[in-house]
């Protein structure tokens, strides 16, 4: 992150009092290179005229649509990397609805006036430090909005739209309420009379079943049988990976090590697939508190497996891409789409690991290198393999007849 003194800012504020206050606050943090506008209309021209702007600060209700209009223009109308500019919205009046709409527009930070120099400095640091990854989906573009881990946070189930953390919390709360209810029922029930034998049910009376039905037991525990079976398999697979890795450390001989390495890779891929299946089933059916605990136990194994698979996958992707770029391998049909699909699988493994920030610098560099290679291969494919112009092409027969005149005359 650049120091504030070296940053260029664009401030869009119509209120003269707010502008004077913000100017003093920015001078307090040593930010001097600032351009001031009074409406949304001049933002597009200012950004195109000065592409080196590092930060936008806007009044939430500035004429022309407010800071939300500015954020939507920057995030959706400008090309990368300009669409990742940090945006801060400030104002005196905020409502819960306006705050929600502001966050959904991709604005990084919100400042409620009046404020202090320390608060402004903290907001600037949070918006510009680059620690939160930039998210680009079909419905949202902006900094990652996940700043805290909720209770029951799981590595493979980290994304908010998966609703996994919420469902895990509900399962824990349901188990706790059930335990309290059973304890209260036990206190209220009368103890059996000593010496009284169990009476046989009289005619016309209904005897309670000795055991609950299987579906009732499943519902009482939380989740369902198939979800529990998937988690069981994931738990067993995680233990198998630990055993294989322990054997790999003590095994000598290239052939035996190669066989164990292949077995570890297969088990790791199976574990990741099982966790993805467990995620889908938990979304639909939930799970019990015991299953939550087992998911926590194997979380380290899942993270290690995802990173190991990611390293191997990126290595193969980079190798095949470099062979194409160097000319050692040719361009096969739809190679760009195939490599993009492989890059999508790498992104899936990154998400399982917990995001790009959870990886070390070596893996991050490999991800960037693979992305660059895939982009180059797609560009080469687009230039080398154009579609033929069928409307202007002529058949060889017509070309031959056009060149040769009638014979024998």
């Amino acid at each position: 992150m650049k120091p504030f003194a070296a940053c260029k800012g664009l401030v869009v504020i119509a209120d003269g009092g707010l502008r004077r206050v913000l100017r003093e606050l920015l001078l307090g943090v040593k930010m001097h290179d600032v351009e001031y506008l009074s409406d949304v209309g001049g933002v597009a021209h200012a950004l195109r005229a000065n592409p080196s702007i590092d930060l936008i600060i806007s009044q939430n209700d500035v004429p022309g649509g407010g800071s939300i209009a500015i954020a939507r223009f920057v995030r959706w109308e400008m090309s990368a990397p300009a669409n990742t500019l940090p945006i801060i919205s400030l104002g005196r009046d905020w409502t819960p609805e306006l705050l929600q709409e502001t966050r959904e527009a991709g604005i990084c930070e919100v400042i409620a006036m009046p404020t202090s120099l320390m608060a402004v400095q903290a907001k600037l640091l949070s918006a510009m430090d680059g620690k939160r990854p930039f998210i680009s989906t079909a419905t949202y573009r902006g900094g990652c909005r996940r700043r805290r881990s909720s209770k029951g946070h799981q590595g493979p189930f980290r994304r908010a739209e998966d609703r996994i953390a919420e469902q895990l919390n509900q399962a824990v709360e349901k188990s706790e309420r059930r335990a309290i209810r059973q304890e209260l029922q036990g206190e209220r029930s009368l103890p059996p009379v000593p010496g009284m034998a169990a009476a046989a049910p009289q005619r016309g009376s209904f005897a309670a079943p000795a055991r609950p039905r299987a579906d009732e037991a499943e519902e009482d525990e939380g989740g369902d049988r198939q979800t529990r079976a998937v988690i069981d398999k994931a738990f067993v697979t995680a233990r198998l990976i630990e055993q294989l890795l322990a054997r790999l450390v003590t095994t000598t001989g290239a052939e035996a090590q190669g066989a164990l390495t292949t077995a570890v890779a297969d088990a790791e891929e199976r574990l990741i697939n099982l966790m993805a299946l467990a995620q889908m089933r938990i979304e639909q059916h939930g799970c019990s508190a015991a299953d939550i605990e087992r998911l926590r136990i194997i979380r380290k194994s899942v993270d290690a497996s995802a990173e190991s698979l990611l390293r191997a996958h990126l290595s193969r992707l980079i190798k095949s891409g470099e062979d194409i770029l160097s000319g050692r391998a040719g361009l096969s049909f739809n190679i760009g789409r195939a490599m993009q699909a492989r890059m999508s699988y790498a992104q899936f493994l990154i998400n399982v690991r917990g995001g790009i920030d959870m990886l070390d610098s070596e893996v991050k560099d490999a991800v960037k290198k693979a992305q660059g290679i895939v982009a180059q291969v797609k560009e080469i494919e687009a230039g080398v393999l154009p579609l033929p112009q069928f409307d202007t092409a002529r058949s060889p027969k017509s070309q031959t007849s056009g060149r040769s005149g009638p014979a024998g005359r």
Side-chain angles (χ1 to χ4, degrees):
M1 173 183 166
K2 295 195 296 185
F4 291 143
C7 293
K8 295 182 179 180
L10 176 63
V11 174
V12 189
I13 295 180
D15 189 312
L18 275 180
R19 181 181 294 190
R20 286 191 295 272
V21 171
L22 183 63
R23 180 184 285 113
E24 294 298 326
L25 291 172
L26 292 179
L27 289 176
V29 297
K30 311 300 183 183
M31 183 179 288
H32 304 283
D33 192 354
V34 180
E35 179 179 355
Y36 291 89
L37 299 176
S38 58
D39 56 34
V40 176
V43 173
H45 175 73
L47 291 175
R48 293 190 176 102
N50 193 356
S52 59
I53 287 176
D54 301 296
L55 172 69
I56 299 176
I57 302 177
S58 171
Q59 182 181 337
N60 61 353
D61 55 353
V62 67
S67 55
I68 293 176
I70 295 175
R72 287 172 178 166
F73 169 77
V74 172
R75 299 295 184 233
W76 296 97
E77 301 296 331
M78 300 189 68
S79 58
N83 62 351
T84 64
L85 272 176
I87 304 175
I88 298 177
S89 179
L90 80 164
R92 293 189 178 95
D93 300 321
W94 292 97
T95 63
E97 294 78 15
L98 181 58
L99 283 171
Q100 180 69 18
E101 191 176 2
T102 299
R103 294 190 183 100
E104 291 177 353
I107 293 176
C108 303
E109 292 292 343
V110 170
I111 299 177
M113 303 297 290
T115 186
S116 64
L117 177 63
M118 184 176 298
V120 170
Q121 186 174 8
K123 295 290 186 179
L124 292 174
L125 286 171
S126 176
M128 301 178 65
D129 60 7
K131 292 182 179 180
R132 287 187 289 164
F134 185 81
I135 305 298
S136 179
T137 66
T139 57
Y140 174 77
R141 285 183 182 176
C144 181
R145 295 170 288 184
R146 303 176 185 93
R147 305 195 186 195
R148 64 183 67 180
S149 298
S150 59
K151 182 181 177 182
H153 178 76
Q154 299 291 324
F157 310 131
R158 61 182 296 271
R159 301 190 67 83
E161 59 264 27
D162 292 336
R163 305 184 308 279
I164 292 298
E166 179 183 354
Q167 293 178 0
L168 294 178
N169 292 339
Q170 291 176 354
V172 172
E173 293 171 359
K174 181 179 178 182
S175 177
E176 292 174 351
R177 289 196 303 268
R178 186 185 303 114
I180 295 174
R181 185 170 62 251
Q182 291 174 350
E183 183 177 352
L184 292 176
Q185 290 175 352
E187 293 176 355
R188 292 173 183 173
S189 61
L190 295 175
V193 179
M196 179 74 72
Q202 301 292 329
R203 179 176 298 183
S205 63
F206 297 91
R211 293 191 305 174
R213 297 202 315 263
D215 54 350
E216 293 178 350
E218 294 290 343
E219 183 180 359
D220 187 64
E221 292 179 5
D224 70 332
R225 186 178 303 174
Q226 293 182 1
T227 304
R228 189 164 298 109
V230 173
I231 297 176
D232 288 342
K233 291 181 180 179
F235 195 81
V236 172
T237 304
R239 290 290 179 254
L240 174 63
I241 293 173
E242 293 179 359
Q243 295 172 2
L244 290 173
L245 290 174
R247 288 174 55 190
L248 185 61
V249 173
T250 59
T251 300
T252 58
E255 185 175 353
Q257 288 182 347
L260 280 176
T261 302
T262 302
V264 169
D266 291 342
E268 288 175 338
E269 187 171 2
R270 185 163 64 253
L271 176 61
I272 298 301
N273 293 336
L274 286 169
M275 294 302 292
L277 179 58
Q279 171 182 339
M280 291 188 294
R281 294 207 59 85
I282 292 174
E283 285 182 357
Q284 184 176 1
H285 304 285
C287 65
S288 66
D291 293 332
I292 296 173
E293 185 60 29
R294 292 202 293 171
L295 287 173
R296 291 196 183 102
I297 292 174
I298 65 175
R299 177 179 175 180
K300 289 185 179 180
S301 181
V302 173
D303 291 344
S305 298
E307 186 163 343
S308 175
L309 289 173
L310 179 62
R311 288 175 181 272
H313 186 75
L314 291 174
S315 177
R316 292 192 296 268
L317 181 58
I318 292 172
K319 175 65 168 59
S320 58
E322 288 178 340
D323 288 344
I324 293 174
L325 296 179
S326 64
R328 293 192 295 269
L331 284 171
S332 58
F333 184 69
N334 264 349
I335 183 63
R337 182 176 297 181
M339 295 192 71
Q340 185 61 51
R342 295 170 66 182
M343 197 66 221
S344 299
Y345 179 68
Q347 186 61 50
F348 164 73
L349 294 174
I350 293 173
N351 292 337
V352 171
R353 181 61 183 87
I356 192 72
D357 293 335
M358 301 300 295
L359 305 174
D360 58 32
S361 58
E362 181 182 355
V363 182
K364 290 180 181 178
D365 293 341
V367 171
K368 293 180 181 179
K369 185 175 181 180
Q371 290 173 339
I373 288 176
V374 170
Q376 293 180 55
V377 170
K378 293 173 68 175
E379 291 177 0
I380 292 175
E381 181 185 34
V384 172
L385 299 176
L387 290 174
Q389 301 295 326
F390 294 103
D391 54 344
T392 60
R394 295 186 300 170
S395 64
K397 182 177 181 180
S398 63
Q399 294 175 359
T400 305
S401 61
R403 287 195 302 269
S404 60
R409 291 188 180 181

